[in-house]
Amino acid sequence: MLVAAAVCPCPPLLVPAVAAGAAPELEPLRAACLAAVEELLGSGAELVVVVGTGPEAEVWTEGGVGSFRRYGVDLATRLPLGGVGGPELTPALTVGAWLLEQAGAVLPTHACAVPADTGPERLLGLGKGLADLADRVGLLVLGDGSACRSLKAPGYLDERAEDYDAVVAAALGSADTAALAALDPKLAGELMAEGRAPWQVLAGAAEGAGLGGELRYDEAPYGVGYFVASWR
């Protein structure tokens, strides 16, 4: 069953070597992410599953390696206690592996990628399946909110974005699985909120688990909604 979850955004700028001169301005976000991951690792979970988006559905159970070379940085990271076989981790999962590495994770870790346009029912079912992988499962859920919060945002300004992100922030802060399950895939796509799919995996995994939530971070630097939350 699910005993804990950490929810983090996954911009590569979380990694100081990638952010370069912008690294200091993201330190509050980075610190919130590491605090959430450390709490996850201290939850007594026997298995951690990292969930993020990818071009196709993939699962890593024997380790995996991700690289930040696509961002011009010669830096690689891997899932804790895993080998190097299998496909390369997706960008979102690579950030998750880096966060686990920074937190000193030594728990067995799997990873799961889901396409951003996957339907809610499939995601909820996947989450339930992940929660059944061990007696005590923890999830590290990677995903960004709307990318339409300002004129300079990747998706330009959309007046619906702020309200959408407010609903997400409230749901993550209160561990409201029903609110996350109800997020509209079409609207999420229009607002470039790729976190919708991983959050609905979390909703499925946490259904009936009786977890509480704490929102650690809720800001929109660069016009993108970033949320950090802990569920215990």
Side-chain angles (χ1 to χ4, degrees):
M1 66 175 291
L2 187 72
V3 297
V7 179
C8 298
C10 51
L13 292 178
L14 273 177
V15 181
V18 176
E25 65 190 51
L26 289 177
E27 185 54 37
L29 172 60
R30 193 174 298 113
C33 288
L34 288 174
V37 172
E38 288 169 355
E39 184 170 337
L40 170 65
L41 297 177
S43 67
E46 302 167 357
L47 171 70
V48 171
V49 183
V50 187
V51 181
T53 56
E56 58 187 56
E58 293 184 84
V59 176
W60 289 256
T61 60
E62 301 295 333
V65 174
S67 171
F68 294 97
R69 292 186 182 89
R70 61 174 60 86
Y71 309 112
V73 175
D74 189 15
L75 176 66
T77 187
R78 68 182 60 201
L79 295 174
L81 303 180
V84 297
E88 182 177 351
L89 296 171
T90 68
L93 297 178
T94 297
V95 171
W98 180 83
L99 287 170
L100 288 170
E101 188 176 76
Q102 297 304 300
V106 294
L107 287 174
T109 304
H110 295 174
C112 178
V114 292
D117 60 354
T118 306
E121 289 304 317
R122 184 174 180 184
L123 296 167
L124 295 170
L126 173 61
K128 292 176 182 177
L130 295 180
D132 289 337
L133 288 176
D135 289 339
R136 298 181 62 84
V137 174
L139 294 187
L140 172 53
V141 182
L142 286 305
D144 300 343
S146 168
C148 304
R149 291 280 295 273
S150 72
L151 294 175
K152 294 183 178 181
Y156 196 65
L157 177 66
D158 190 309
E159 298 294 341
R160 302 169 296 173
E162 188 169 350
D163 288 344
Y164 179 90
D165 282 352
V167 169
V168 172
L172 293 175
S174 60
D176 189 339
T177 59
L180 292 180
L183 293 174
D184 179 18
K186 183 175 184 295
L187 177 59
E190 292 171 354
L191 297 177
M192 301 173 65
E194 289 201 1
R196 190 275 309 176
W199 299 330
Q200 289 186 326
V201 174
L202 170 61
E207 185 178 355
L211 302 183
E214 175 191 358
L215 189 66
R216 294 176 175 270
Y217 186 95
D218 173 15
E219 300 290 344
Y222 317 122
V224 182
Y226 294 151
F227 315 105
V228 181
S230 293
W231 287 23
R232 285 286 301 276

